[in-house]
Amino acid sequence: LPKLQPRFYSISSASSRHPKHVHITCAVVSHDTPGGRWHDGVASTFLANVNVGDRVLAFIRTSTFRLPSSAATPLLCVGPGTGVAPFRAFVQARVDADERKREELDSPRAASGAAKSMAKMSLYFGCRRLSAEHMYEGELRDAAAGGILRLEVVSSRDGATAPHRYVQDLLARPEDAAAARKALLKDGGHLYVCGDAKHMAADVHRTLVGVLSSGDDGLRDAAEAETWLASASKSGRYQRDVW
């Protein structure tokens, strides 16, 4: 039998908070197939059954999916489901950086200035059912309450009837679209998308084209929006970690 290929997972913890540990966010794959056979994911099932103290073969590879060097850069992040993983790390890093800055300044007036020097991070998270799948809810809501994060959440199956709503539907709302245009076209913000490549990433990209090419403050048309996104991707301002 050929060797199994490695499974790659986004790191969902910041080295500033967990310098000697690496967290991952993994959904256990387990479902019935159309042919009637039960399927368990190889890697996810293995990880679900390891115990504390067990040894797991793993390695870390270099990634370009990372925060910009300046905390003053606005961030627009889209990560439904386990796609939230790298953004949890982003949030931890920005919260820790803000706390360090406040400690250095060590005064209420200076602390207020520290908070203002860090640009807001917007995170769009989606899942099927919030009661079971709203991962890291406490951490994310604490960051939002502290002014570091703007959190927008949608669930597609919580008492909903078709048509279901997804993260791209939140992005397309007029206020959100205007905020996205300002962050990306005016303020030099960075755009990140993480998660499902087959449907979500393509749907989000199409929505972004519409968002950037609408409004009096937008680009001329969809073609110009596609050109802008291609240029942003080449320069590292539009990054996608999709599978």
Side-chain angles (χ1 to χ4, degrees):
L1 291 175
K3 292 183 178 179
L4 288 172
Q5 294 299 307
R7 269 56 168 180
F8 295 112
Y9 296 94
S10 299
I11 294 176
S12 55
S13 57
S15 58
S16 59
R17 187 168 302 184
H18 303 283
K20 296 183 178 181
H21 299 85
V22 170
H23 297 187
I24 63 171
T25 303
C26 175
V28 178
V29 176
S30 184
H31 60 82
D32 198 7
T33 66
R37 296 180 60 186
W38 191 259
H39 171 72
D40 290 322
V42 176
S44 64
T45 302
F46 167 74
L47 290 172
N49 287 288
V50 296
N51 298 309
V52 175
D54 289 349
R55 299 186 67 179
V56 176
L57 180 63
F59 63 93
I60 297 175
R61 60 176 183 171
T62 302
S63 173
T64 58
F65 198 91
R66 59 183 63 189
L67 284 168
S69 57
S70 173
T73 302
L75 307 180
L76 179 58
C77 307
V78 183
T82 55
V84 75
F87 306 129
R88 182 204 185 210
F90 284 11
V91 168
Q92 288 183 354
R94 284 215 158 176
V95 168
D96 292 347
D98 183 64
E99 290 178 352
R100 288 195 302 271
K101 188 69 173 179
R102 291 175 184 272
E103 290 173 359
E104 290 171 5
L105 296 173
D106 199 24
S107 77
R109 179 175 296 180
S112 176
K116 292 179 181 178
S117 69
M118 182 171 293
K120 185 73 64 87
M121 171 182 175
S122 295
L123 171 59
Y124 290 84
F125 173 78
C127 60
R128 292 170 63 88
R129 294 179 177 84
L130 292 174
S131 60
E133 301 168 347
H134 194 174
M135 289 173 283
Y136 310 119
E137 180 181 5
E139 283 187 42
L140 298 178
R141 294 207 181 280
D142 285 347
I148 299 297
L149 177 69
R150 174 175 171 258
L151 179 63
E152 298 294 335
V153 177
V154 65
S155 60
S156 61
R157 298 297 188 275
D158 277 331
T161 55
H164 302 303
R165 297 176 71 240
Y166 302 96
V167 285
Q168 61 267 24
D169 298 311
L170 300 185
L171 276 170
R173 297 179 302 191
E175 288 187 7
D176 293 77
R181 286 193 296 272
K182 181 179 183 300
L184 299 175
L185 301 180
K186 182 179 179 181
D187 298 337
H190 283 217
L191 172 63
Y192 301 88
V193 178
C194 184
D196 169 60
K198 186 176 181 180
H199 301 293
M200 182 278 299
D203 291 339
V204 167
H205 184 89
R206 281 191 293 270
T207 299
L208 287 167
V209 169
V211 164
L212 295 176
S213 60
S214 63
D216 295 336
D217 55 346
L219 301 173
R220 185 171 57 250
D221 52 30
E224 188 175 8
E226 288 280 14
T227 299
W228 188 94
L229 288 168
S231 177
S233 179
K234 187 175 181 179
S235 68
R237 286 184 57 202
Y238 176 23
Q239 297 189 48
R240 306 202 311 171
D241 181 8
V242 297
W243 54 86

